[in-house]
Amino acid sequence: MEARPMPYEGPERVEYYFNARTGEVEEGRQSSWDDLMGPYATREDAAQAFEIARKRSAAWDDDDADWGGSKD
């Protein structure tokens, strides 16, 4: 699942974060950056933060291999 562009709701953009320490989705940045993944466009995307990160990492690994990089 790819993260979607940030929607605008009213004058300010709503952003969601996944708190890796608590396992909870937060609307807006409520916790320390040390614990957060995001921002994400939707609550659903934030809840899938680990899966999105895993897919992005795999895509980067594939891209490195295409450019002759290491797959360590």
Side-chain angles (χ1 to χ4, degrees):
M1 172 188 299
E2 277 300 312
R4 293 175 224 134
M6 297 293 178
Y8 285 91
E9 295 180 14
E12 293 189 30
R13 179 171 58 187
V14 176
E15 296 177 328
Y16 298 91
Y17 296 85
F18 181 76
N19 186 316
R21 184 178 49 81
T22 66
E24 299 291 324
V25 173
E26 300 178 359
E27 185 172 328
R29 190 177 75 79
Q30 301 173 24
S31 300
S32 168
W33 286 117
D34 294 338
D35 300 323
L36 298 180
M37 297 174 72
Y40 294 93
T42 66
R43 180 174 294 281
E44 293 78 20
D45 284 346
Q48 296 296 315
F50 283 124
E51 180 63 15
I52 291 170
R54 185 194 64 74
K55 287 181 179 180
R56 288 179 180 166
S57 181
W60 291 331
D61 287 346
D62 290 343
D63 189 48
D64 284 347
D66 291 344
W67 287 92
S70 173
K71 287 196 85 155
D72 292 334

